[in-house]
Amino acid sequence: LLHWNSRKVCRMAGKNLVLGWLYDISWEAAKAFVVSAKRANMDADIVILAWHNESYTWETLRLHGAEVVAVPHDNVRFTIERSIGRETRDDLTHFISRRYCYYDWYLQQHPEYERVMLTGIRDVIIQSDPFSYDCGSALCCFLESLLIKESAWNRMWVHDGFSQEELERIHWNPVSCAEIVYGPRHRVAEYVGLMLPHICGPSLKIRVIDQAVHNYLLWNGMLGEVRTFKPGEGPVLTMGYRYNEREHEIRLNKMRRVLNDDGSIVPVVH
């Protein structure tokens, strides 16, 4: 567990939380996120759940104002089973998916936060405060520019993780990225709780299933009140597919900040 108070007064007031994770990555992979988050001066705490990271990375993060505590490796099964309340397939659960077990663990211990953003670290930068976007009581999800049926990876994940029938039911919807989710703390905690049985339960079919479960829950209306954002229209821009063709381009201002379609600075770029 890495906990970094970007503004210590916020930790005491209990307002906003950025909750991320690290696994087997170097300081160079984490640097862009940590440095950009500090520069953005967010009205939030930043907590990064970390395990299997090299000592140099931890020491460098400490030099940037971070507190680093390793997640114990011997309590993975206990943590997962406590989260979902029954036997788990921790032999199959991929480390990418296991992050939800630790999200659940942390959020249960910290009810003081009002809003939470779950995020990856290695391919995310912060340009401004994402908490300036008020989504009310909705859970915010962020879309990519492809439909599920247009993405070979997403088709495979839904098909292999669920079924061909389920794939055909939701494949006309846009891909929603599971890496970043944002909303009121209780809504984010509910979302994590809905993800866990599919990711860690005995019916698990494939190891990397987080994106399939996320889209399954979203497009089957199981997440309650949700607000979705298209690329270029909200607090998070998922760039993976939007800018890999010639007709698309990255819009920058004079300060080299990535812009939304309306010319505003995108708070989070993924």
Side-chain angles (χ1 to χ4, degrees):
L1 172 72
L2 178 157
H3 185 106
W4 171 32
N5 293 328
S6 58
R7 297 176 69 177
K8 293 184 183 295
V9 64
C10 295
R11 182 68 177 91
M12 298 182 66
K15 293 185 179 181
N16 305 316
L17 170 67
V18 175
L19 185 60
W21 64 285
L22 291 172
Y23 185 98
D24 278 343
I25 63 173
S26 67
W27 160 246
E28 287 303 315
K31 179 179 178 180
F33 177 87
V34 173
V35 172
S36 66
K38 189 172 184 179
R39 184 184 298 125
N41 195 31
M42 292 184 293
D43 183 18
D45 291 345
I46 297 179
V47 174
I48 305 176
L49 306 179
W51 58 101
H52 294 306
N53 291 280
E54 60 182 0
S55 59
Y56 172 77
T57 301
W58 287 12
E59 291 303 322
T60 308
L61 288 169
R62 288 190 179 104
L63 292 174
H64 285 75
E67 177 186 355
V68 183
V69 179
V71 173
H73 294 183
D74 59 356
N75 73 342
V76 171
R77 176 179 286 274
F78 172 77
T79 302
I80 294 173
E81 291 182 357
R82 182 181 61 181
S83 297
I84 67 174
R86 56 188 169 90
E87 185 180 359
T88 181
R89 296 291 306 279
D90 72 325
D91 58 317
L92 290 181
T93 304
H94 196 273
F95 70 84
I96 291 177
S97 297
R98 287 185 186 188
R99 72 186 188 271
Y100 293 95
C101 304
Y102 297 110
Y103 287 160
D104 178 72
W105 167 75
Y106 189 85
L107 290 173
Q108 285 190 29
Q109 297 182 70
H110 294 278
E112 68 270 22
Y113 291 106
E114 297 176 9
R115 293 182 292 176
V116 175
M117 185 178 77
L118 304 180
T119 183
I121 302 297
R122 64 182 178 82
D123 55 358
V124 175
I125 63 170
I126 309 295
Q127 298 193 125
S128 63
D129 191 348
F131 297 99
S132 62
Y133 276 72
D134 184 4
C135 295
S137 60
L139 182 74
C140 297
C141 298
F142 306 98
L143 307 180
E144 300 179 6
S145 59
L146 292 181
L147 302 180
I148 293 172
K149 73 183 189 71
E150 296 172 327
S151 167
W153 281 106
N154 283 276
R155 289 199 314 270
M156 179 189 70
W157 290 328
V158 175
H159 175 274
D160 292 354
F162 292 94
S163 65
Q164 178 63 29
E165 180 182 4
E166 185 57 44
L167 173 60
E168 293 174 358
R169 181 171 21 248
I170 68 172
H171 72 172
W172 285 101
N173 293 292
V175 173
S176 178
C177 182
E179 188 83 350
I180 302 178
V181 174
Y182 165 58
R185 193 206 69 85
H186 72 281
R187 294 300 320 284
V188 174
E190 290 170 358
Y191 163 79
V192 171
L194 289 169
M195 293 284 288
L196 282 173
H198 296 281
I199 286 173
C200 304
S203 61
L204 181 66
K205 297 179 182 178
I206 58 174
R207 298 185 70 212
V208 182
I209 195 175
D210 58 313
Q211 183 108 327
V213 175
H214 173 86
N215 280 273
Y216 166 80
L217 295 173
L218 173 61
W219 300 121
N220 280 292
M222 298 179 183
L223 296 181
E225 183 184 358
V226 174
R227 184 174 179 185
T228 58
F229 291 86
K230 296 178 181 179
E233 296 185 0
V236 176
L237 174 59
T238 299
M239 297 173 55
Y241 289 107
R242 179 174 168 82
Y243 297 105
N244 67 350
E245 298 178 2
R246 292 183 179 180
E247 61 265 28
H248 295 128
E249 61 180 16
I250 300 173
R251 299 184 60 197
L252 303 174
N253 64 11
K254 293 181 179 180
M255 300 297 293
R256 310 296 292 175
R257 299 290 189 267
V258 180
L259 303 178
N260 272 321
D261 293 343
D262 64 1
S264 63
I265 295 175
V266 183
V268 182
V269 179
H270 168 43

